[in-house]
Amino acid sequence: MTEKEKLKAYLQYKGISKNRFYTETGFSVGFLDSGRSLGADKVRIIINKFPDLSLEWLIMDEGEMIIEPRPEGVAYDMRPNISHLEEPESPYYVPTRIYTPAAGAADPTRRIPLYDFEAAAGLAPVFDGRTAPTGYLAIPELPRCDGAVKMRGDSMYPLLKAGDIVIYKQVHDCTNIIWGEMYLVSFSYDDEEYTTVKYLNRIEEKPDFARLVSYNAHHAPIEIPLTAIRALAIVKASVRFNTMG
């Protein structure tokens, strides 16, 4: 079976209608009936929304369709199985076991993967699904997000400081930029690659450019062509640790 055929088999087994699936995931009507594969971004959303669906079965055709509930008092090995990432054609991260939280724990649909974008050499390897998360955040009532990274530098200080975690939603097209909002952006500038958090402002006289503005007044704004942007995500939330332990 194709990935979408297996997904439809899961929905039928669980008694979940297509309309409910589209409502839960936010996917467009007809998604289940077009094409064969799901794509890394869609898989991440599906597994977060339906945590008892086995990712190994869905993508790699291994194991059973349904993940068994976690027995009381039993801890599973949550270390990621990343051996498959050596194969460049595989864009998926496959955990050894999906964790089913105990009653009263944070909503599992809000488990946000945390990435080390410096170790991944930029945002693009993170966004295309070839980098395994270093951990997860569980935050209830959080808007739909794709991931989180740790802040570097002081360009947004004191609003954000080094070590803060920024939680983002990937933007696939620069035409969807909401001007004036805060973004995580990777771009080329003067033959160098940069990754930073900035406000993106429109330049009326240069519609094909964006002005990157810091919160810290010591950092001057810079203007870049939209074509220089390599990866882009809107910042939806941030987390700050105020103690060391």
Side-chain angles (χ1 to χ4, degrees):
M1 290 191 294
T2 66
E3 293 170 7
K4 288 193 175 180
E5 287 172 342
K6 286 191 282 187
L7 178 56
K8 287 190 283 188
Y10 165 81
L11 296 175
Q12 183 177 9
Y13 175 81
K14 297 287 290 187
I16 300 171
S17 68
K18 289 184 179 180
N19 285 339
R20 177 184 165 189
F21 172 81
Y22 293 137
T23 300
E24 291 280 338
T25 60
F27 297 165
S28 59
V29 174
F31 167 79
L32 289 169
D33 300 311
S34 62
R36 296 165 57 88
S37 62
L38 298 171
D41 290 343
K42 296 292 193 299
V43 167
R44 186 182 298 114
I45 293 171
I46 291 166
I47 294 302
N48 280 338
K49 292 294 183 181
F50 305 101
D52 65 341
L53 173 60
S54 169
L55 181 59
E56 292 94 333
W57 175 80
L58 181 64
I59 301 303
M60 306 182 71
D61 205 22
E62 296 180 359
E64 301 297 326
M65 177 174 67
I66 302 297
I67 295 174
E68 297 178 2
R70 180 183 182 219
E72 187 70 25
V74 175
Y76 287 134
D77 182 2
M78 289 298 293
R79 292 171 295 178
N81 172 14
I82 60 173
S83 59
H84 70 287
L85 293 177
E86 298 173 359
E87 300 294 333
E89 66 272 16
S90 174
Y92 301 106
Y93 160 67
V94 181
T96 56
R97 177 69 68 173
I98 300 296
Y99 167 64
T100 303
D107 183 349
T109 64
R110 302 306 182 203
R111 292 178 68 245
I112 307 299
L114 176 65
Y115 297 99
D116 185 344
F117 73 87
E118 288 189 331
L123 288 179
V126 172
F127 285 2
D128 67 15
R130 298 183 185 275
T131 300
T134 60
Y136 289 88
L137 305 176
I139 302 177
E141 301 183 10
L142 189 70
R144 184 177 296 131
C145 298
D146 293 324
V149 296
K150 287 188 177 180
M151 182 74 180
R152 297 290 186 268
D154 65 349
S155 66
M156 300 302 287
Y157 184 84
L159 189 62
L160 295 172
K161 66 179 183 179
D164 287 358
I165 296 173
V166 292
I167 303 170
Y168 62 82
K169 180 76 172 66
Q170 188 176 353
V171 176
H172 299 278
D173 191 331
C174 286
T175 60
N176 294 325
I177 291 174
I178 303 174
W179 299 107
E181 292 294 327
M182 188 186 302
Y183 284 85
L184 180 64
V185 54
S186 281
F187 62 95
S188 299
Y189 184 77
D190 196 22
D191 296 326
E192 296 286 344
E193 294 286 334
Y194 296 90
T195 299
T196 186
V197 175
K198 302 283 187 184
Y199 291 113
L200 262 60
N201 289 349
R202 185 195 301 272
I203 306 175
E204 295 295 341
E205 63 275 17
K206 297 180 180 179
D208 295 329
F209 279 67
R211 180 177 289 115
L212 277 56
V213 180
S214 302
Y215 192 84
N216 187 339
H218 293 289
H219 291 256
I222 62 172
E223 297 179 359
I224 62 170
L226 295 178
T227 54
I229 295 176
R230 304 295 179 231
L232 185 67
I234 189 168
V235 175
K236 306 288 284 188
S238 64
V239 177
R240 175 172 296 178
F241 294 94
N242 291 316
T243 60
M244 297 299 293

